[in-house]
Amino acid sequence: MLKIIIPTAMLMPMTWLSKPNMIWINSTTYSLLISLISLSYLNQLGDNSLNLSLLFFSDSLSAPLLVLTTWLLPLMLVASQSHLSKETLARKKLYITMLITLQLLLIMTFTATELIMFYILFEATLIPTLIIITRWGNQTERLNAGLYFLLYTLVGSLPLLVALLYIQNTTGTLNFLIIQYWTKPISTTWSNIFLWLACMMAFVVKMPLYGLHLWLPKAHVEAPIAGSMVLAAVLLKLGGYGMMRITILLNPTTNQMAYPFMMLSLWGMVMTSSICLRQTDLKSVIAYSSVSHMALVIVAVLIQTPWSYMGATALMIARGLTSSMLFCLANSNDERVHSRTMILARVLQAILPLMAAWWLLASLANLALPPTINLIGELFVVMASFSWSNMTIVLMGTNIIITALYTLYMLTTTQRGKYTHHIKNINPSFTRENTLMALHLLPLLLLSLNPKIALGPIY
Amino acid sequence: MLRRTLLLGLCRGPLGRGLGTHRGGSILGKVEGRGGYRGSWMAPSSSSVTFRTQDPAHDVKTVGRLGGGDRDGKMSEIKKKIQSILPGGDWNPLYDTSHLPPESSDVVIVGGGVLGLSVAYWLKKLEKPRGAIRVLVVERDHTYSRASTVLSVGGIRQQFSVPENVQLSLFSIDFLRNINEYLAVADDPPLDIQFNPSGYLLLASEKGAAIMENNVKVQRQEGAKVCLMSPEQLRNKFPWINTEGVALASYGMEHEGWFDPWCLLQGLRRKVQSMGVLFCRGEVTRFMSSSNLMKTASGEEVNLKRIHEVHVKIDQSLEYQPVECAIVINAAGAWSGQVAELAGIGKGPPGTLQGTKLPVELRKRYVYLWHCPQGPGLETPFVIDPSGTYFRREGLGHNYLGGCSPTEEEEPDPGNLEVDHDFFQDRVWPPLAQRVPAFETLKVRSAWAGYYDYNTFDQNGVVGPHPLVINMYFATGFSGHGLQQAPAVGRAVAEMVLEGHFQTINLSSFLFSRFYSGEKVQEHNII
C-alpha cells in the first residue's frame, strides 16, 4: 500500500517545486502512473481479501473504488486547466495540492482496516472538498453550498463516532478483518435501534438519501469542475462503501430498521428523476440524477442479498465514471457560453460534432444502455428488490423510464434545436477535452467486456 | 408579528420556488425591501419599497416597517444578521456584498428604461422552462431623472410610413389596453396608465398630401384605422383649427392617444421583479470579450467577438463587480452609442463592418406646458402641424403640452437638460398660433427637456444582434417613438434571443447590418 501512498504524498512537493510551465504536465503524468500501480490491486483472490498490512487491506469491493479514485486524479487535473489558467501560480499549486490531499485521504479511506481510522479519514476528506468548493467555486452561493455540505455531513457522522467507540468497547476490536467473523446477532432493543441509526446516518447523508439530499445539488452546482467530479464520482461512493461495510455488524436489526430508508429511497428515486425533467441548469440535472442512482444503491445495500450487493458495487463504479464524464461535458459547455442554462447553448451538434459524440455516449451510459455496467448494476438491483417485494418493480420501472426521459431531454436540448446567434463563435473542442472524455469512457466500455472486476466480493 | 408572518405566507404562495434551485434563494425570504435588488422572493406589497413614488435609495439600512423607535431598528438589525447567517441567507463572512450585482448572470440588460424592462419582461415570459434564464438589469439612475422614458410626452400612434412600425404600435396598443392582464402581480393594485384615446391628427400641406395618402394606404393595410379628412371636414370636426395651408389631414380613429409613461415603467418594473429579474444600480464601464478569427463561407476572414464579462461600477464609488454573462442587451437609450463603443463596435477602418459605429446619439428636445383658457376642448387630438410643431391636451383644465423638433442647424447642446425658453417664443409659438388662433393668448406654465435616442442614419430603431459582437443585442435608437413601441420591440428581441429569429413581427429590416449595407428604412412621419 505504501507504494501508492508515498508517491501520492510526494506529488505535493513535486507540484510546489515544479517549474511554472511544468506543473500540469508533471502532476498529470505522475498521477496517471500512480493509477497504473493501483491496477495491480484488481487481482483479487476470490472470497478473501488482500491483506497488505495491519492498517490497510483491499478486497474486491474496495479495489475497484481505489482504482476509480486514483484514475480520477489525472482526469481532474486535465479538466481544471482551463478555468485555472487565469489564477496566480501559487493559487494553481494550492489547488493541485488540495486535490492531491483529497486523493491521499480517499485512498487511505477506501483501504483502511480499522473502522476508527476509516472514520477519521472519512471526516478528513471534507476539509479539502470544502476548501475547493468555497474558494474556487463560481458564484456567491458557493459559501452557502459549502456550509450545507459541511454541516449535513458532519452532523450526520458525529453519531457514528459514538457508535464506533461503543462497538470497540463491547467487541474489543474494530479491525474490519476480525470483526466480520466476530459479529453476533444483536437483539432489537431501543438502544440497539439507536446504535443502528447512529451507524447508518453518516452514510445515508453521504449517499444521499432522498430526504437528506439538499446539500448535493448546491454543492455540485457551485463547485468548480474538479470539485464536482470528485464529489460525484468518489465521495458519494464513500457512503455506499461505508454502508456495505457496516451493515455486517448490524444484523438482524437491519431487517426492521431498513423499512423507512427503503421507502424514502424508492420514492426519492422517482422524485429526483422527475425533478431532473424540470431543471434548467445543466449541472443541476446531473446532480439530481446522481441522487436518483444512489438511491438505487441504498435500496440494494439495505436488502442485503448477493445479487443486490453485486448490483450496488457495479452501479457505484459505473456512476462514478458516467457522472464525472457528464460533469466534464457540462463544464466544456459552460466554458464556452459562460452560462450553465441549457437553453442558451443549443445546436451544439452542428458546431462541435465530436463533442456531440461524447455527449451521446455519456447519455447512453446514463440511460443504462446494455452492455454497459450501468445496466448490469441497475438490472441486478431491480431484480433483487423485486424478489424482496413485488411492488417495487412499479417504482423501479417508472424510474428507469424517467431516467431515459431526462437524459434524452438533456441531450436534445443541448445538441439539437434552433440556431441562435450568440453561439456562432464558440471554440472548437480542444484535444485536452477530447482526451478527458476518452479517458472517462474507455474504462467504462472496457468494463462492459469484463464486468466481474466491478461486481464486488460476492461474485 | 402576526401580520408579518401572514404576509410572509402570502409572499411565498404564488411564487412557490422549489428548494433545490441553483440560485440558492432564501427559504425564509427577506421581508425587508432593499430598493428592489433582491426581488425574487418578495411580493412588493409587503415590503417597505413602494412603486408609486420614487424608490428610496438602495442603501436604506433600517427597516422601520412598524414605525419608528431606535430600539426597533436595532432589533431588526440583529434579526437581519441572524437571518442572513442561517442556512438559506447569503452570508459572506468577509465583507458585505449585498449592493453588488451577482457574479454571473445569463443575460445582462444595460439600461433600465422602458425598452430594457420590456425585454426583461418578455425574456421571462417567453422562456420555455419557467425560471430558466437569469436576467440582470443594470440601471445607473434609479430615479430616472434623465431617462427618455419618463420625460416623454407619452403619445402612441399607428400613423407611420414603415409597415413594421405600424405593426409594432398595433401590438403595443393591444398590450397597453390589456395591461392588467400582462402585468398583473398578486396582491398589488391594478395599473391605470390613463390612456386618453383621443387620436392623432397629422396635417399635410400641398407638397406632402400625396405622401400622406400613400402612408395611410400602408397603415390601413396593416390594420390601423385612419381616416383622411379634407379641410372642410376638418373645420366641421374641429372648429378651432385654422385650415390655411392644409391640404389633407389624417386622423387616427382608434388605438391612438397618449398615456402615462411613468406608470408603464413602474408597472413593468414591479412585474419584472416579481418574475425574478435582478436589478442593480450601477454603470457599465467595461466589457471583457474574447475573439475568434473565423472564415465565412466565401473564405474571407472575420473576427467574431463574444462578451464574456461585464464590469458594473457602483455609483459614487470605485468598486466594480465583474459579472460573467452569456448575452448582453444594449437598451441604454440615448447613451447606447457610448455603450456600443465600449464593446468595440465601430473600432476599425471606416467603410468596413468593423468600422461601422452604432449611429445613436443624444439629442435634446424641449417640451412646454402652457395654459390657454379659450383653447380647444376635450376632443383635441394630438395635432402635428406640417411645420413639425405638435401639441396635445394635458388634463382637464385647458392645459396643453407641445413642442417642436429643431432642424439640424439649431440642435441644442445635449450636455445638460436646461430649457431654452426663447425656442418657444421663436419656433414653437408662431406656427401654433397660426394653426390654432386661440393659442395667440397663452401662458407657459412650465417646460422640461428630454433626450431622444436619435438614430442619425434613418431615425428608426436598431433591433437584433450585432454581426460581429455576436452576443450583443440592440433594442435602441427609436428616435422619439421608442416608448410607444417598447412592448412589441421587447418581444421581438426576446424572440431573437431565445429562438434565433423573429417570430411574430418581422423586424429583419431593423437589424444593425443595414448601417453597413446602407439600406435606409426611412421613416417620414417623425416628429
Side-chain angles (χ1 to χ4, degrees):
Chain A
M1 201 56 212
L2 270 183
K3 63 179 178 281
I4 301 188
I5 294 179
I6 301 258
T8 313
M10 292 308 284
L11 279 177
M12 282 191 268
M14 182 199 73
T15 316
W16 282 96
L17 295 173
S18 292
K19 285 200 277 255
N21 56 346
M22 290 295 281
I23 42 173
W24 294 110
I25 303 175
N26 277 345
S27 43
T28 319
T29 336
Y30 284 104
S31 45
L32 258 178
L33 285 176
I34 295 175
S35 70
L36 290 177
I37 301 175
S38 68
L39 279 177
S40 65
Y41 289 105
L42 287 175
N43 185 21
Q44 291 288 328
L45 325 155
D47 205 15
N48 221 335
S49 50
L50 202 58
N51 297 342
L52 304 159
S53 78
L54 287 177
L55 296 170
F56 298 114
F57 84 112
S58 80
D59 72 352
S60 347
L61 173 57
S62 58
L65 288 169
L66 176 66
V67 176
L68 179 65
T69 313
T70 51
W71 184 245
L72 218 69
L73 181 61
L75 267 50
M76 287 196 279
L77 290 168
V78 169
S80 314
Q81 275 184 27
S82 165
H83 80 89
L84 284 182
S85 54
K86 294 197 187 66
E87 303 253 359
T88 61
L89 188 64
R91 292 243 173 93
K92 281 190 221 183
K93 290 185 176 171
L94 195 61
Y95 189 80
I96 300 178
T97 314
M98 283 295 122
L99 289 179
I100 295 170
T101 324
L102 187 56
Q103 171 83 329
L104 190 60
L105 295 168
L106 281 170
I107 292 172
M108 293 203 282
T109 318
F110 278 124
T111 52
T113 46
E114 283 280 339
L115 283 175
I116 287 280
M117 178 162 141
F118 170 80
Y119 175 79
I120 294 173
L121 295 164
F122 179 81
E123 296 298 299
T125 57
L126 292 180
I127 298 178
T129 320
L130 180 71
I131 296 179
I132 292 175
I133 296 178
T134 50
R135 174 62 188 81
W136 279 280
N138 292 329
Q139 293 166 257
T140 347
E141 285 92 3
R142 67 185 187 271
L143 298 168
N144 204 359
L147 200 69
Y148 261 69
F149 167 68
L150 187 71
L151 284 182
Y152 261 79
T153 326
L154 265 181
V155 168
S157 56
L158 276 175
L160 177 64
L161 182 63
V162 176
L164 285 178
L165 292 173
Y166 170 75
I167 296 177
Q168 164 87 356
N169 269 342
T170 48
T171 46
T173 176
L174 272 181
N175 191 325
F176 186 69
L177 303 166
I178 301 177
I179 207 170
Q180 56 184 328
Y181 299 112
W182 201 246
T183 54
K184 296 190 273 279
I186 53 179
S187 52
T188 320
T189 61
W190 272 108
S191 57
N192 281 337
I193 289 180
F194 281 115
L195 178 70
W196 192 94
L197 272 177
C199 289
M200 286 302 222
M201 225 8 122
F203 305 115
V204 140
V205 168
K206 200 78 175 164
M207 287 294 280
L209 182 67
Y210 175 58
L212 303 163
H213 69 292
L214 283 184
W215 62 271
L216 187 126
K218 287 191 188 343
H220 272 115
V221 166
E222 306 301 333
I225 178 61
S228 294
M229 282 167 79
V230 77
L231 262 175
V234 187
L235 287 174
L236 266 52
K237 317 315 174 228
L238 265 182
Y241 172 77
M243 256 169 98
M244 287 166 91
R245 292 288 190 220
I246 213 128
T247 41
I248 297 180
L249 312 172
L250 296 171
N251 280 319
T253 327
T254 315
N255 299 337
Q256 280 92 346
M257 282 302 297
Y259 274 107
F261 296 91
M262 290 278 299
M263 294 307 128
L264 270 176
S265 294
L266 284 169
W267 185 237
M269 196 166 65
V270 178
M271 279 288 105
T272 44
S273 300
S274 319
I275 292 178
C276 277
L277 282 173
R278 291 292 298 175
Q279 286 299 319
T280 54
D281 182 345
L282 195 50
K283 273 178 130 176
S284 219
V285 174
I286 307 170
Y288 275 106
S289 91
S290 269
V291 180
S292 166
H293 288 254
M294 292 317 276
L296 275 172
V297 176
I298 298 182
V299 167
V301 174
L302 290 175
I303 297 180
Q304 294 184 301
T305 67
W307 278 69
S308 73
Y309 267 38
M310 282 198 273
T313 323
L315 205 52
M316 286 202 288
I317 306 292
R319 273 313 290 178
L321 291 166
T322 316
S323 55
S324 174
M325 183 172 182
L326 283 170
F327 272 116
C328 291
L329 287 166
N331 184 54
S332 77
N333 236 8
D334 183 14
E335 279 171 8
R336 287 178 168 78
V337 188
H338 296 279
S339 159
R340 295 192 309 254
T341 313
M342 274 195 283
I343 59 176
L344 284 182
R346 293 186 288 186
V347 181
L348 290 178
Q349 184 162 5
I351 307 179
L352 303 172
L354 186 55
M355 200 50 86
W358 300 127
W359 268 102
L360 181 69
L361 288 171
S363 303
L364 291 178
N366 201 15
L367 288 180
L369 192 74
T372 59
I373 48 173
N374 301 63
L375 175 76
I376 295 178
E378 271 193 44
L379 206 57
F380 282 16
V381 175
V382 171
M383 287 195 289
S385 71
F386 179 68
S387 75
W388 178 76
S389 153
N390 292 3
M391 284 304 293
T392 57
I393 194 99
V394 177
L395 288 168
M396 297 270 182
T398 320
N399 181 46
I400 293 182
I401 296 177
I402 303 183
T403 305
L405 281 176
Y406 71 71
T407 316
L408 289 176
Y409 166 64
M410 183 173 68
L411 185 68
T412 52
T413 314
T414 51
Q415 306 302 114
R416 325 247 162 119
K418 293 202 189 76
Y419 165 77
T420 48
H421 287 269
H422 50 268
I423 51 169
K424 265 196 280 202
N425 82 333
I426 52 181
N427 291 324
S429 314
F430 302 120
T431 313
R432 174 178 57 85
E433 291 171 349
N434 288 328
T435 322
L436 190 60
M437 307 309 161
L439 284 179
H440 271 112
L441 206 52
L442 212 55
L444 203 56
L445 296 177
L446 286 176
L447 273 173
S448 60
L449 292 177
N450 188 7
K452 67 173 184 281
I453 308 173
L455 284 179
I458 312 286
Y459 181 76
Chain B
M1 191 58 197
L2 182 62
R3 199 181 79 185
R4 198 180 285 188
T5 36
L6 278 180
L7 283 169
L8 250 183
L10 282 176
C11 263
R12 254 186 303 146
L15 298 180
R17 290 279 168 80
L19 288 171
T21 58
H22 69 263
R23 215 163 305 173
S26 160
I27 299 173
L28 302 171
K30 290 243 183 353
V31 183
E32 308 85 353
R34 282 234 188 105
Y37 170 48
R38 291 236 357 151
S40 49
W41 278 101
M42 301 192 304
S45 65
S46 68
S47 72
S48 58
V49 174
T50 57
F51 287 104
R52 290 135 199 102
T53 58
Q54 288 178 358
D55 278 347
H58 76 288
D59 48 26
V60 166
K61 288 283 189 241
T62 58
V63 176
R65 264 174 78 240
L66 301 172
D70 195 44
R71 231 190 46 199
D72 260 338
K74 274 214 191 91
M75 275 308 294
S76 47
E77 274 282 332
I78 296 175
K79 274 197 196 140
K80 234 181 357 175
K81 265 209 176 79
I82 295 179
Q83 235 179 10
S84 74
I85 292 180
L86 284 177
D90 51 0
W91 176 57
N92 190 335
L94 303 172
Y95 47 85
D96 180 23
T97 54
S98 52
H99 57 287
L100 292 175
E103 285 175 10
S104 73
S105 173
D106 293 332
V107 179
V108 173
I109 300 183
V110 182
V114 71
L115 269 175
L117 292 182
S118 168
V119 175
Y121 170 75
W122 284 104
L123 271 175
K124 291 305 265 180
K125 190 144 154 88
L126 294 178
E127 61 185 2
K128 279 294 149 41
R130 210 168 52 127
I133 303 194
R134 291 173 299 171
V135 184
L136 174 73
V137 174
V138 180
E139 165 61 45
R140 76 177 156 193
D141 180 10
H142 273 191
T143 59
Y144 293 97
S145 56
R146 303 195 312 161
S148 314
T149 306
V150 298
L151 297 169
S152 145
V153 165
I156 176 163
R157 60 179 161 113
Q158 279 86 46
Q159 297 187 45
F160 291 102
S161 57
V162 175
E164 284 94 350
N165 273 339
V166 183
Q167 290 168 7
L168 288 173
S169 289
L170 276 173
F171 177 74
S172 301
I173 189 65
D174 176 66
F175 183 92
L176 290 174
R177 281 216 189 258
N178 297 317
I179 196 168
N180 283 312
E181 278 156 36
Y182 284 100
L183 299 185
V185 176
D187 292 343
D188 264 6
L191 290 169
D192 174 21
I193 53 166
Q194 292 158 25
F195 177 59
N196 283 293
S198 300
Y200 266 62
L201 181 69
L202 269 71
L203 305 171
S205 56
E206 281 289 336
K207 282 190 303 173
I211 303 178
M212 177 174 275
E213 265 198 70
N214 261 344
N215 291 348
V216 170
K217 206 175 9 202
V218 168
Q219 290 151 22
R220 281 194 183 139
Q221 246 175 351
E222 297 298 335
K225 296 194 175 49
V226 185
C227 78
L228 284 167
M229 298 168 85
S230 66
E232 299 89 65
Q233 287 169 323
L234 258 188
R235 277 193 292 272
N236 274 342
K237 193 159 171 73
F238 304 116
W240 39 264
I241 275 194
N242 166 19
T243 54
E244 178 188 331
V246 172
L248 196 59
S250 70
Y251 179 51
M253 292 184 291
E254 210 184 337
H255 300 320
E256 292 191 348
W258 56 88
F259 62 96
D260 177 17
W262 182 251
C263 182
L264 176 64
L265 186 70
Q266 293 304 333
L268 272 173
R269 190 145 171 211
R270 186 182 76 175
K271 176 69 178 174
V272 138
Q273 276 190 318
S274 82
M275 287 165 128
V277 169
L278 296 174
F279 275 79
C280 165
R281 179 173 150 176
E283 187 181 340
V284 170
T285 47
R286 209 168 166 193
F287 289 118
M288 306 287 283
S289 47
S290 57
S291 47
N292 270 341
L293 198 58
M294 304 181 90
K295 274 213 177 104
T296 62
S298 49
E300 66 176 73
E301 290 193 345
V302 272
N303 207 2
L304 292 181
K305 271 213 285 195
R306 154 186 295 274
I307 299 172
H308 60 81
E309 222 174 50
V310 178
H311 286 196
V312 178
K313 180 177 104 67
I314 305 300
D315 238 7
Q316 281 133 28
S317 148
L318 285 177
E319 208 178 355
Y320 72 92
Q321 165 81 298
V323 179
E324 191 185 356
C325 63
I327 293 174
V328 174
I329 299 194
N330 185 353
W335 296 271
S336 317
Q338 297 164 12
V339 172
E341 269 180 30
L342 281 178
I345 295 176
K347 293 207 176 92
T352 57
L353 189 51
Q354 295 93 309
T356 316
K357 294 196 209 291
L358 177 70
V360 173
E361 295 180 351
L362 287 153
R363 291 285 172 92
K364 187 158 80 161
R365 296 285 180 267
Y366 305 113
V367 178
Y368 303 93
L369 172 72
W370 64 84
H371 173 73
C372 177
Q374 293 92 29
L378 289 178
E379 81 287 2
T380 317
F382 196 121
V383 180
I384 304 180
D385 198 58
S387 61
T389 323
Y390 61 87
F391 76 93
R392 70 159 168 91
R393 173 179 60 83
E394 167 71 14
L396 303 168
H398 284 290
N399 292 316
Y400 304 89
L401 272 182
C404 171
S405 285
T407 56
E408 289 284 337
E409 296 80 40
E410 35 178 46
E411 279 288 346
D413 170 33
N416 56 27
L417 283 177
E418 302 280 327
V419 180
D420 180 11
H421 294 279
D422 296 330
F423 186 77
F424 183 74
Q425 301 279 67
D426 303 330
R427 285 276 280 123
V428 184
W429 201 0
L432 269 183
Q434 201 236 347
R435 188 58 57 206
V436 182
F439 281 160
E440 279 166 11
T441 54
L442 58 76
K443 186 162 166 62
V444 176
R445 281 264 166 86
S446 78
W448 67 84
Y451 291 118
Y452 269 19
D453 47 346
Y454 194 77
N455 181 351
T456 51
F457 188 73
D458 56 10
Q459 289 87 55
N460 256 325
V462 191
V463 174
H466 187 271
L468 293 180
V469 181
I470 58 174
N471 62 345
M472 173 172 267
Y473 290 79
F474 295 106
T476 179
F478 282 91
S479 318
H481 52 274
L483 171 65
Q484 56 189 276
Q485 294 176 339
V489 169
R491 189 176 62 166
V493 174
E495 286 167 357
M496 198 64 177
V497 169
L498 294 173
E499 305 292 328
H501 55 273
F502 295 115
Q503 278 183 325
T504 41
I505 302 179
N506 186 4
L507 296 180
S508 21
S509 47
F510 282 28
L511 290 173
F512 183 93
S513 36
R514 75 183 194 267
F515 301 139
Y516 173 63
S517 58
E519 292 157 11
K520 288 196 183 188
V521 189
Q522 196 72 41
E523 172 61 54
H524 298 291
N525 290 353
I526 292 287
I527 52 168

